[in-house]
Amino acid sequence: MQGLAENTMREEAIAWHLRLNGSVDADWDDFARWLELDPRHNDIYEAVCDADLAFEQAAGLTRSTSPEAGAGDDAFAMPQPRPARRWMWPAMAASVAFAALGTWAMMGGQANEYTVQTAPGETRTLALSDGTRIVLNGATEIALDKSDTRVAQLKAGEAQFTVHHDDARPFTLSVGDQRIVDVGTVFNVRSGKGALRLEVAEGAVRFEDGMTRLRLNAGDTLETTGSSIVEGAKPVGEIGGWTRGRLVYRDTLLVEVAADITRTRGIAIELGPDVSDRRFSGVIQLDGGDGALQKRIEALLGVKVTATADGWSITR
Amino acid sequence: MTSQGQEVPADSGLRQLCLALGPELRRFLLARRVSEADAEDLLQDLFLRVETSVTGPVRSPKAYLYQMLNNMAHTRRRTEARQKARDADWLDAPVGSAGTDMEMPDLAPDAETALLARDHLARVEAALEKLPERTAHVFRQYRIDGISQKVIARDLGISLSAVEKHLQRAYNAVLEIRNRLDPGGTGWNPAGQTGGTDARAR
């Protein structure tokens, strides 16, 4: 069906595709020379790009399906997207496309704001055209603006922001009437029930509400409830652990731990009165199926986890 | 991301580099088999995009420009192919409906494309099963979880070129499927995010 030469060309095209999208120091001059060697090279390279792009939709399917997708298969044990593909082809293609759309939307006067929502247990990564990445935890809602990628509004839930910093146009996240302005940053924000928790993993942010302006550096945390603001600290390695498939706690009420599991895994949890005031310190790995997680939590927290019709019941 | 490598301030540096690299970029586009007129057009477009949409310092600016231009060339070709194929009704899918499967929030797959994607995925999974476990694992890590080749190499304790070999093999198998499903790999394409957006932008 395919000639030997064609097979070789295809292998070369794949190699180029992998090299060009995998690293920042790919040799584009060499690539141009390879293309010039044979007019067919470009066609085959294009076909490889097409095929890879076509796979994106299927790949997205496995990313957003339940953690049981492909059960019994190690590699699928934790199909959560990881925020590590800044230079890869799909992300790049997406951001270029997004930029084009943004420009058009500005001229066409379309409604530019749109919201993205995740269900409990669903994690999702958004790539903005300026290189900013937002990883949404489950049960999260965020509003973005197509014509201005430098603003976002967290309406509910939790998200981690890896902001492409620009001195002239700082990235601003609003949560209610509070604002978080990046000063070159990776940060994690959780909002719910009138409370806000902000943790800075890298760089710095400025926190603003009507009264207060605070600068938070890497490792700083801030918690607001009503009018009170409490500053704290947290090892940067523990911040946004959920994006890496684990939850890290220090002396945390089980109520909060349960809420995190519900958000990240989509499992409704009912806490017995005899455990609700207990506290936990440690790391919970989130990989594996619900059954595995159930056993792990029993062992780690020293509790009894019973699967019920609509979730878990945790008792002593 | 703002802390590594050499960075160039976006507003002036990238634009200057864009101009300085003009002849080189033009040659690259011709090698990509873009017509001379289209190459001019794309370079203009690149310059404009650098001006309007790049808002932060860019690490490795030359690679950034090339990558952007390479994607634009690909998009343009796809858009043209699609125009010829004239099958645009999926472009009218309402924005934001049921868009849980994709990273891009504003391009929602409809039920049919989701079905096609599921079918595609099943075939890819079947192909991966025939490969050595490690090869399939590397592919999934790279292509689905979005982990960089460098990190995969480090995690598995193998060389970067070994990772590349695994990927090469997996891609070979996976692209084969695509070719069988849709010979030539051009024209209408359910996952045509890039082309779709551009087509919509007109």
Side-chain angles (χ1 to χ4, degrees):
Chain A
M1 203 172 78
Q2 277 178 326
L4 198 62
E6 202 155 325
N7 272 337
T8 312
M9 281 188 236
R10 203 170 78 134
E11 271 164 29
E12 285 171 351
I14 293 173
W16 275 116
H17 179 60
L18 289 169
R19 224 167 292 154
L20 296 178
N21 300 311
S23 80
V24 291
D25 40 40
D27 195 331
W28 290 88
D29 299 332
D30 266 1
F31 176 52
R33 274 191 288 278
W34 176 76
L35 289 171
E36 283 163 355
L37 276 181
D38 189 315
R40 283 174 296 176
H41 282 174
N42 184 62
D43 296 342
I44 293 173
Y45 171 73
E46 288 272 349
V48 168
C49 291
D50 277 338
D52 197 3
L53 193 59
F55 179 61
E56 180 53 26
Q57 190 133 3
L61 223 51
T62 74
R63 285 188 205 113
S64 57
T65 46
S66 74
E68 271 71 31
D73 181 338
D74 276 345
F76 271 99
M78 199 195 72
Q80 299 179 349
R82 307 228 317 212
R85 55 214 289 269
R86 180 155 151 62
W87 268 100
M88 292 175 67
W89 154 256
M92 205 48 210
S95 48
V96 171
F98 211 148
L101 189 61
T103 317
W104 166 73
M106 261 185 288
M107 296 185 300
Q110 279 258 328
N112 289 322
E113 200 185 282
Y114 61 102
T115 48
V116 184
Q117 262 178 298
T118 54
E122 182 193 359
T123 317
R124 196 153 157 199
T125 305
L126 311 175
L128 305 188
S129 60
D130 59 9
T132 294
R133 293 188 72 79
I134 307 174
V135 190
L136 304 182
N137 204 342
T140 295
E141 186 179 354
I142 192 167
L144 299 165
D145 191 332
K146 276 187 191 127
S147 61
D148 187 355
T149 55
R150 305 304 286 176
V151 295
Q153 199 187 343
L154 185 66
K155 296 193 162 168
E158 178 170 20
Q160 175 162 301
F161 298 78
T162 304
V163 175
H164 195 131
H165 180 63
D166 177 14
D167 264 333
R169 303 184 59 233
F171 180 87
T172 303
L173 173 74
S174 357
V175 186
D177 53 7
Q178 295 158 321
R179 300 202 314 152
I180 296 155
V181 184
D182 101 277
V183 195
T185 318
V186 181
F187 62 95
N188 192 86
V189 181
R190 179 195 310 190
S191 149
K193 294 189 204 129
L196 168 87
R197 185 170 172 85
L198 166 64
E199 300 171 343
V200 181
E202 207 180 297
V205 301
R206 200 168 67 232
F207 171 83
E208 302 176 357
D209 63 11
M211 322 264 282
T212 326
R213 267 175 88 116
L214 286 169
R215 184 188 161 99
L216 281 81
N217 295 316
D220 291 348
T221 66
L222 177 145
E223 201 151 13
T224 70
T225 355
S227 58
S228 89
I229 297 180
V230 181
E231 287 181 86
K234 187 171 182 175
V236 293
E238 295 178 13
I239 292 171
W242 58 272
T243 63
R244 298 180 293 277
R246 59 170 198 248
L247 301 171
V248 186
Y249 299 102
R250 270 169 208 223
D251 200 29
T252 310
L253 280 170
L254 287 203
V255 188
E256 285 181 45
V257 177
D260 283 344
I261 294 168
T262 301
R263 186 193 304 287
T264 314
R265 290 293 293 257
I267 302 167
I269 295 178
E270 197 190 314
L271 277 184
D274 48 349
V275 293
S276 59
D277 58 353
R278 274 218 221 167
R279 289 172 179 272
F280 171 67
S281 297
V283 179
I284 302 176
Q285 288 291 140
L286 292 169
D287 52 347
D290 286 358
L293 186 63
Q294 186 181 346
K295 286 207 194 77
R296 201 174 302 143
I297 285 180
E298 285 192 324
L300 280 170
L301 274 59
V303 293
K304 189 165 162 40
V305 181
T306 323
T308 61
D310 51 3
W312 289 355
S313 164
I314 297 185
T315 50
R316 191 137 59 156
Chain B
M1 92 180 15
T2 51
S3 61
Q4 332 176 9
Q6 290 177 329
E7 292 175 347
V8 160
D11 34 349
S12 60
L14 260 187
R15 246 177 295 157
Q16 267 168 22
L17 188 67
C18 211
L19 291 176
L21 290 179
E24 191 181 310
L25 294 173
R26 190 169 291 110
R27 180 190 147 192
F28 171 70
L29 284 175
L30 297 181
R32 288 285 272 110
R33 316 245 296 153
V34 171
S35 76
E36 294 211 21
D38 276 357
E40 250 358 278
D41 215 36
L42 282 178
L43 283 174
Q44 279 289 334
D45 210 11
L46 175 72
F47 191 74
L48 217 74
R49 283 184 193 196
V50 164
E51 204 163 43
T52 56
S53 66
V54 183
T55 50
V58 168
R59 148 175 88 124
S60 191
K62 184 178 163 184
Y64 184 89
L65 289 179
Y66 263 105
Q67 183 111 38
M68 206 157 162
L69 200 58
N70 195 37
N71 291 345
M72 283 160 66
H74 184 235
T75 303
R76 162 126 352 175
R77 211 222 66 237
R78 290 175 60 85
T79 312
E80 275 165 11
R82 188 173 294 107
Q83 266 170 345
K84 279 178 201 149
R86 190 66 219 130
D87 187 357
D89 55 21
W90 67 277
L91 286 175
D92 302 329
V95 168
S97 69
T100 51
D101 297 344
M102 296 171 62
E103 282 206 350
M104 290 299 296
D106 56 336
L107 292 171
D110 57 26
E112 194 187 346
T113 59
L115 210 69
L116 284 172
R118 222 160 275 138
D119 180 60
H120 191 174
L121 183 65
R123 284 160 195 266
V124 168
E125 282 300 327
L128 288 177
E129 262 164 39
K130 287 186 200 133
L131 295 171
E133 208 171 306
R134 178 163 273 202
T135 303
H137 174 70
V138 169
F139 177 79
R140 290 191 180 106
Q141 288 229 297
Y142 177 74
R143 190 59 186 81
I144 294 170
D145 297 339
I147 300 169
S148 76
Q149 296 180 34
K150 222 181 262 177
V151 171
I152 296 172
R154 198 193 58 205
D155 286 355
L156 293 179
I158 59 179
S159 70
L160 200 59
S161 73
V163 169
E164 213 171 281
K165 281 202 189 93
H166 282 300
L167 285 175
Q168 173 90 38
R169 191 163 172 195
Y171 263 79
N172 236 324
V174 166
L175 300 191
E176 187 78 17
I177 297 161
R178 163 80 187 159
N179 286 345
R180 247 181 265 148
L181 269 181
D182 182 0
T186 53
W188 185 83
N189 181 331
Q193 296 182 13
T194 315
T197 309
D198 260 24
R200 202 191 281 191
R202 258 180 291 109

